[in-house]
Amino acid sequence: MQAIKVRNLSRQFGSVTAVDSLDLDISVGQVYGFLGPNGCGKSTTIRMLCGLLKPSAGEVNILGLSIPEQAEALKLKTGYMTQSYSLYRDLNVVENLNFMAEIYSLSGRNKRLRIEELITRYQLGDIRHQISGSLSGGQRQRLSLAAAVIHKPPLLLLDEPTSAVDPQSRRDFWESLFELVEQGTTILVSTHFMDEAERCHKLAILDRGKKVADDSPKNLMRDINAHVVEVHTDSVASAQDVLQCLPEIKGVTQLGLSLRVLVDRQVDQAEDFIRQTLTSHQLTAVATQVKANLEDVFVVATMSQPSGSR
Amino acid sequence: MISWRRLWAVCNKEFKQLARDRGTIAMIIGIPVLELLMFGYAINNDVRHLPAVVLDQSQSAFSRHLTEDVAATQIVDFVASVATIEELDSLIRSGQVSVGLFIPADAQRRSQQPDRRVAQLIVDGTDPVIAGVVAQLQAMPLGLRSHDWLREKNNSFELRIYYNPEKRSAVNIVPGLIGLILTMTMVLFTAIAIVREKEHGTLELLIATPVSVLELLMGKVLPYILIGLIQASLVLGLGYWVFNVPVSGSLLDVYLATSLFIAASLMLGLVISTVAESQFQAMQMTIFVFMPSILLSGFMFPFAGMPVAAQWVAEVLPLTHFLRIIRGIVLRGASLGEMLTEMLILLGFTVIMLTIAALRFNKRLD
Ligand SMILES: Nc1ncnc2c1ncn2[C@@H]1O[C@H](COP(=O)(O)OP(=O)(O)O)[C@@H](O)[C@H]1O
Ligand SMILES: [Mg+2]
């Protein structure tokens, strides 16, 4: 079943095209990731899906509702975590939850039980009377998630929820997301962390407003349009200089004393190709083809745009 | 359709935030108290004890009586006596005295001749209020001690002053201050209350929830009606205890009129909040409303004395109408019924502003 169906969605800010002819198909019960660098249009897309920004063009259908016309009806069914912390810094944890509960028309016993349930689930018990402005990044994030799910929405839209959070909190946070998915929630989450992207059921890679890849992380890594070769050599810097200039090479990244080289898929013997190239420049090297990871996918996807200058 | 629960949730949240905001609480209490004391004590058009100098070339019993008569009015205090007109000029120019009394050598003879002036009053006219007060001396009956017959010549009219016979400025200022303070604080508080949510990013989350525009705007505004009434009570109470300004009309009328004026000011604040992007901008726009309110509403200067164009601007300001109502009730004991037109104008202003705010405020970021 489709939770989100988007066709040809675009948004202009003056002369800037923040989102460019985007198509999305997101099934119910998935964690769907938006991966992309800052400014690629993740927030703008999520805001349009919430009905907070009007699309310049395109059709959006979410949970059977047509957006932006039926945005108000959708607001009952979505939970939204904004990119920056957006609960009240001068209210404490319980007061914030209480406010959000009342805004979603919870009252009396139901409200109290739901708040207690969330406080337990998201470990907010020790800080329940702490002013939220003084919470740590991880605590704020747990509180924001608790507030976003207070009305048990079938769809969660999370805009870079982990960008201000330590690694352990990030792992815990993702555990919570999968718990929600098990209960049938659909989650759209934007990120610029590869490890998080890899945990999504499906993934869209955005680059300058355009979707440049869309599949499961596994398929994306399998179908990558490049050979990944690890190169060990004495003079890493010279080797990098040589390789970078070749049209067959899509990317070179230094990893400590070795290089990770992305070679065009058209090249048959990638390992030999690199070795021979380097030998012709009086450099000795050991080249080994390895499996692609998501970062390789990202590099290839974002460079293959015609206007790419990366 | 308004959900009262959501409306209450917004109100309640606003109250909690307000209760933790010491600066704002200090403003709520401090502004009325300070302004009242400052205006009540400092602004006084009924000036007395101006420093004065006398230049007496007559040096007679007549001239001494004349000087004493002038001093007896208490409008001036003679602090110096000089021998030449140059010295007198110099004292006035340096600001050491505001008034000079020049009595010529033939003063007594002049006083016998009805068409001639006895003496000359020289006034530093830089402050028109002072000049006006001293001008009263011109018509002073010279006669207690110097000449009896002049007394009749001067008092052609009998003057009766209603409502404020002592001409105390505090009486006029206290009800006016209610309006002035409410204009300043109410417009600013609401404007800032919404713009702050924009600035802190909390508005983005709020408009992604089912809360409606009307619930949001009303919920933000309602707590301030209570705050405004507290401020008005503070001014009225202090006015009564410190400056002895009683409320002639009904207290209920005062509170009804004040509530309506608060609502009008709050709505104006809402409109500002839909335009301003930052708290600083909201502050600037509030001042933009506040300045004409102070100057044109009749708070500072009598309405009737202003040019027609200024009167038109004044008619658009809610403070102008509120001042007419509140002065009527507090000072002249008028009833709301007699002030119906002004009340309807305020009501109309409120409705128009709310409509503009609700139309301009949409639950979107663009
Ligand atoms: N309100 C706005 N006004 C003008 N330009 C905007 C606005 N919001 C976003 N943009 C522009 O749109 C592009 C995409 O921004 P955004 O969606 O915030 O990217 P991301 O969330 O992926 O970092 C950027 O170039 C940004 O400058
Ligand atoms: Mg963003």
Side-chain angles (χ1 to χ4, degrees):
Chain A
M1 210 171 69
Q2 287 271 80
I4 298 182
K5 184 174 169 181
V6 169
R7 288 292 172 268
N8 208 23
L9 182 66
S10 298
R11 170 71 205 213
Q12 241 105 18
F13 290 110
S15 61
V16 178
T17 305
V19 177
D20 194 356
S21 321
L22 188 66
D23 293 341
L24 290 174
D25 291 283
I26 302 176
S27 314
V28 165
Q30 275 193 344
V31 178
Y32 189 95
F34 272 178
L35 179 65
N38 283 335
C40 71
K42 304 185 294 291
S43 297
T44 305
T45 306
I46 291 178
R47 284 170 174 160
M48 284 194 284
L49 299 187
C50 294
L52 298 184
L53 281 176
K54 223 176 182 166
S56 305
E59 282 159 44
V60 179
N61 192 292
I62 301 179
L63 303 173
L65 298 168
S66 151
I67 306 302
E69 295 79 15
Q70 294 175 287
E72 285 309 304
L74 180 67
K75 284 172 183 175
L76 287 163
K77 299 185 182 180
T78 50
Y80 176 38
M81 258 178 88
T82 55
Q83 186 169 348
S84 54
Y85 182 67
S86 56
L87 288 169
Y88 295 95
R89 285 155 208 261
D90 45 359
L91 297 185
N92 68 30
V93 169
V94 178
E95 286 165 345
N96 268 305
L97 289 176
N98 209 44
F99 173 65
M100 290 303 278
E102 286 169 1
I103 286 296
Y104 284 105
S105 301
L106 269 68
S107 68
R109 212 175 112 82
N110 279 344
K111 180 180 78 177
R112 281 196 304 279
L113 286 178
R114 180 65 180 150
I115 289 176
E116 284 314 313
E117 186 185 340
L118 290 170
I119 283 180
T120 311
R121 172 59 197 90
Y122 296 108
Q123 297 145 43
L124 301 167
D126 295 341
I127 51 168
R128 60 193 300 150
H129 294 303
Q130 196 173 329
I131 294 294
S132 92
S134 67
L135 298 177
S136 73
Q139 291 168 332
R140 281 184 189 186
Q141 179 211 41
R142 296 206 300 274
L143 174 59
S144 300
L145 183 61
V149 301
I150 203 157
H151 55 301
K152 302 186 179 165
L155 175 64
L156 271 181
L157 300 158
L158 312 176
D159 194 359
E160 292 191 28
T162 54
S163 43
V165 162
D166 64 274
Q168 181 58 44
S169 299
R170 275 172 51 199
R171 272 194 295 280
D172 293 344
F173 184 78
W174 275 80
E175 291 307 316
S176 315
L177 295 192
F178 282 113
E179 209 177 271
L180 288 163
V181 167
E182 259 166 45
Q183 295 159 16
T185 312
T186 307
I187 298 178
L188 175 63
V189 55
S190 74
T191 182
H192 49 236
F193 292 113
M194 297 299 160
D195 58 330
E196 290 185 349
E198 201 161 345
R199 301 182 73 164
C200 298
H201 294 114
K202 278 187 89 180
L203 191 62
I205 297 178
L206 298 185
D207 184 35
R208 278 155 287 170
K210 279 205 162 68
K211 187 172 77 175
V212 290
D214 183 3
D215 208 334
S216 70
K218 215 175 184 172
N219 290 352
L220 286 173
M221 291 188 277
R222 186 194 60 203
D223 301 339
I224 184 173
N225 192 21
H227 304 292
V228 185
V229 182
E230 234 170 55
V231 180
H232 290 266
T233 171
D234 295 336
S235 54
V236 179
S238 331
Q240 187 164 13
D241 288 344
V242 170
L243 292 173
Q244 252 165 359
C245 303
L246 301 177
E248 294 88 349
I249 304 293
K250 295 188 158 200
V252 185
T253 323
Q254 186 172 353
L255 298 168
L257 290 175
S258 65
L259 292 175
R260 196 173 177 94
V261 185
L262 302 172
V263 188
D264 197 315
R265 217 171 192 166
Q266 309 298 318
V267 179
D268 268 347
Q269 299 289 323
E271 298 172 344
D272 291 343
F273 170 76
I274 288 179
R275 220 174 296 129
Q276 284 157 15
T277 311
L278 290 178
T279 309
S280 71
H281 283 84
Q282 287 82 44
L283 292 162
T284 48
V286 184
T288 331
Q289 183 153 357
V290 294
K291 274 182 98 172
N293 64 23
L294 205 53
E295 182 140 7
D296 303 325
V297 173
F298 183 75
V299 171
V300 173
T302 54
M303 76 166 300
S304 55
Q305 275 208 75
S307 63
S309 55
R310 240 169 259 272
Chain B
M1 253 306 286
I2 282 190
S3 151
W4 297 108
R5 179 166 298 132
R6 281 201 293 263
L7 178 61
W8 168 243
V10 179
C11 278
N12 190 22
K13 179 212 71 142
E14 208 65 21
F15 266 125
K16 284 204 177 103
Q17 291 185 298
L18 204 56
R20 294 202 180 131
D21 185 353
R22 296 225 181 116
T24 304
I25 292 179
M27 245 173 105
I28 291 171
I29 309 283
I31 287 184
V33 173
L34 283 179
E35 300 258 310
L36 184 76
L37 295 181
M38 283 191 313
F39 276 100
Y41 282 121
I43 297 199
N44 198 349
N45 292 345
D46 197 11
V47 185
R48 302 205 167 252
H49 304 293
L50 295 167
V53 58
V54 62
L55 167 52
D56 184 357
Q57 293 182 337
S58 161
Q59 295 291 344
S60 59
F62 172 82
S63 69
R64 277 190 294 279
H65 279 311
L66 185 62
T67 311
E68 278 165 25
D69 282 351
V70 171
T73 63
Q74 292 187 357
I75 292 175
V76 297
D77 282 348
F78 288 104
V79 295
S81 166
V82 293
T84 67
I85 192 78
E86 286 77 22
E87 286 175 89
L88 187 146
D89 282 352
S90 149
L91 281 178
I92 290 186
R93 192 166 42 245
S94 67
Q96 284 170 275
V97 301
S98 308
V99 183
L101 173 62
F102 171 60
I103 306 175
D106 58 347
Q108 186 156 19
R109 189 155 44 78
R110 286 168 170 249
S111 71
Q112 317 288 351
Q113 302 162 321
D115 54 333
R116 294 195 68 188
R117 303 286 176 170
V118 177
Q120 193 177 26
L121 277 170
I122 299 138
V123 186
D124 173 5
T126 47
D127 187 338
V129 175
I130 290 182
V133 169
V134 176
Q136 298 167 15
L137 284 175
Q138 194 185 7
M140 189 185 90
L142 293 176
L144 294 174
R145 269 159 281 194
S146 31
H147 271 278
D148 284 337
W149 62 269
L150 277 172
R151 172 182 234 149
E152 288 145 43
K153 179 169 134 185
N154 281 322
N155 284 351
S156 321
F157 295 99
E158 186 195 41
L159 183 63
R160 282 189 59 197
I161 299 176
Y162 274 20
Y163 306 120
N164 184 13
E166 308 100 316
K167 290 198 276 178
R168 287 185 301 127
S169 353
V171 167
N172 197 29
I173 294 265
V174 167
L177 261 190
I178 298 178
L180 191 72
I181 288 164
L182 290 177
T183 301
M184 176 155 61
T185 53
M186 293 294 104
V187 175
L188 188 62
F189 287 169
T190 27
I192 282 192
I194 290 201
V195 175
R196 191 178 47 202
E197 297 227 15
K198 278 192 210 173
E199 265 187 354
H200 289 186
T202 52
L203 195 63
E204 180 171 353
L205 183 60
L206 204 50
I207 60 179
T209 70
V211 73
S212 76
V213 172
L214 218 51
E215 287 157 6
L216 185 57
L217 296 185
M218 296 308 291
K220 295 232 104 192
V221 151
L222 286 177
Y224 292 102
I225 292 191
L226 190 66
I227 303 288
L229 289 176
I230 291 174
Q231 292 189 311
S233 308
L234 216 52
V235 174
L236 276 181
L238 280 179
Y240 179 73
W241 298 114
V242 181
F243 295 107
N244 199 18
V245 179
V247 176
S248 306
S250 115
L251 215 49
L252 179 67
D253 282 357
V254 170
Y255 279 103
L256 282 176
T258 305
S259 302
L260 183 56
F261 177 63
I262 291 172
S265 305
L266 293 175
M267 295 307 151
L268 188 57
L270 280 186
V271 172
I272 288 180
S273 77
T274 63
V275 182
E277 286 299 326
S278 66
Q279 295 188 52
F280 182 66
Q281 265 184 21
M283 194 101 75
Q284 286 178 315
M285 291 185 201
T286 306
I287 291 173
F288 194 74
V289 173
F290 186 60
M291 289 315 287
S293 292
I294 284 193
L295 297 174
L296 303 182
S297 65
F299 173 79
M300 282 263 179
F301 312 114
F303 186 83
M306 293 188 302
V308 180
Q311 288 187 351
W312 274 106
V313 176
E315 291 288 357
V316 180
L317 300 167
L319 183 58
T320 307
H321 302 282
F322 177 67
L323 284 187
R324 292 177 190 156
I325 301 172
I326 196 75
R327 282 179 175 156
I329 300 172
V330 173
L331 304 179
R332 299 196 293 273
S335 70
L336 267 193
E338 295 169 86
M339 300 279 168
L340 211 55
T341 320
E342 305 292 344
M343 287 293 279
L344 286 177
I345 292 174
L346 277 188
L347 187 65
F349 183 89
T350 309
V351 173
I352 290 172
M353 287 297 144
L354 177 60
T355 312
I356 294 177
L359 289 178
R360 281 196 55 90
F361 188 96
N362 59 33
K363 285 183 71 185
R364 263 193 262 116
L365 296 168
D366 50 2

